[in-house]
Amino acid sequence: SSHRKSYGQRAADHSNPAAQLLLHTIERKKSNLAVSVDLTKTSDFLKVIDVVGPYVCLIKTHIDILEDFTPDVIERLKLLSAKHDFVVFEDRKFADIGNTVALQYSSGVHKIASWSHITNAHPVPGPSVITGLASVGLPLGRGLLLLAQMSTEGSLATGSYTDDAVRMARAHREFVIGFIAQRRMDHVGTSPSSLPDGVEDFIILTPGVSLEMSGDSMGQQYRTPEKVILENGCDVIIVGRGIYGKGTGDALDVGCVALQAEKYRTEGWNAYLKRIGS
Ligand code: BMP
């Protein structure tokens, strides 16, 4: 089990460049914190990224919520990614037939595959959602996360659906680097023949993380970094409103955002150090 291995050691268990980049970035920056920047104005979006950049391994985007999107946003995002050394994850949640997701991933206004190291997909269409996205993403060195579980109340992604997502991932390990999930996935039964090299390492990124809140008014459910990283063996905490609140425009207090990012980074990293026993 990779449960007690360091992030850096685990990079050797991956052939996918995006997986290696993420694990090395976590180790280099001593941060398993990802910030989800769900803001609708480009100026707020870029400001928050610049402020939290030093504390994160990854920035998660919903690029389609920007009201004033222009291709220049992507150039600015790339510059910030280089400046602060973080990985970019567009949380697109693809969920269509292979041909359609390949077009959505490569084309349109956002051209996600050209700039996002990692994206994700719902396993609901079956394996063709992976092969469709891989046809675009693999040649570019991109990686995919499958949504094996969700943080929301009443989620249907449970039980055999979750287990089947893990089996789908195992059959496409060159492109599927891990899961959006609420716990590690090693418990899902495997036969030795499905692991030809005897090694399986999936990276678990976990949203629904807050130190103060237990949920919102729209079904979100939160747990603390310690619960997520130490008790449930997840690898990366994804935090949105816990770090920037509702603050946008004049209400955006960058000093406060930096303090929160620092606090979540410390919480997440200390929980990891406890887990690996150092
Ligand atoms: P917040 O920390 O503000 O609740 O934001 C959580 C982020 O993670 C949102 O961008 C949401 O789309 C995403 N997310 C989630 O909350 N639960 C999931 O199961 C999957 C997600 O992608």
Side-chain angles (χ1 to χ4, degrees), residues 40-95:
T40 57
K41 289 194 178 60
T42 293
S43 58
D44 294 331
F45 173 78
L46 294 171
K47 198 189 291 173
V48 166
I49 294 173
D50 201 18
V51 169
V52 303
Y55 308 102
V56 302
C57 59
L58 178 146
I59 290 289
K60 185 174 87 58
T61 60
H62 282 300
I63 204 70
D64 60 352
I65 69 176
L66 287 176
E67 291 171 347
D68 48 357
F69 177 85
T70 63
D72 183 54
V73 176
I74 300 306
E75 296 313 311
R76 308 275 291 275
L77 178 60
K78 283 187 195 162
L79 286 174
L80 288 169
S81 164
K83 173 181 173 187
H84 295 297
D85 185 22
F86 60 73
V87 178
V88 178
F89 163 28
E90 163 59 23
D91 186 4
R92 176 60 180 77
K93 298 189 178 70
F94 293 101

Side-chain angles (χ1 to χ4, degrees), residues 59-214:
I59 290 289
K60 185 174 87 58
T61 60
H62 282 300
I63 204 70
D64 60 352
I65 69 176
L66 287 176
E67 291 171 347
D68 48 357
F69 177 85
T70 63
D72 183 54
V73 176
I74 300 306
E75 296 313 311
R76 308 275 291 275
L77 178 60
K78 283 187 195 162
L79 286 174
L80 288 169
S81 164
K83 173 181 173 187
H84 295 297
D85 185 22
F86 60 73
V87 178
V88 178
F89 163 28
E90 163 59 23
D91 186 4
R92 176 60 180 77
K93 298 189 178 70
F94 293 101
D96 211 320
I97 65 166
N99 185 62
T100 299
V101 297
L103 292 170
Q104 291 172 321
Y105 189 26
S106 64
S107 306
V109 173
H110 297 120
K111 306 181 197 331
I112 294 163
S114 74
W115 53 270
S116 188
H117 302 104
I118 295 169
T119 192
N120 57 353
H122 284 295
V124 68
S128 55
V129 74
I130 302 175
T131 50
L133 292 167
S135 72
V136 173
L138 259 187
L140 297 170
R142 305 310 187 199
L144 184 72
L145 302 166
L146 286 183
L147 285 121
Q149 296 179 315
M150 289 194 73
S151 59
T152 37
E153 201 182 327
S155 164
L156 304 183
T158 62
S160 61
Y161 180 95
T162 300
D163 294 0
D164 286 341
V166 175
R167 294 189 185 98
M168 268 173 57
R170 283 182 179 142
H172 297 90
R173 285 177 48 213
E174 70 295 339
F175 191 50
V176 182
I177 66 173
F179 302 102
I180 297 295
Q182 297 293 307
R183 53 162 294 175
R184 287 197 75 73
M185 289 289 141
D186 321 52
H187 64 288
V188 177
T190 180
S191 63
S193 60
S194 69
L195 299 176
D197 51 10
V199 179
E200 172 178 285
D201 187 282
F202 286 116
I203 309 171
I204 311 289
L205 284 75
T206 305
V209 176
S210 172
L211 284 162
E212 272 107 37
M213 296 172 290
S214 63

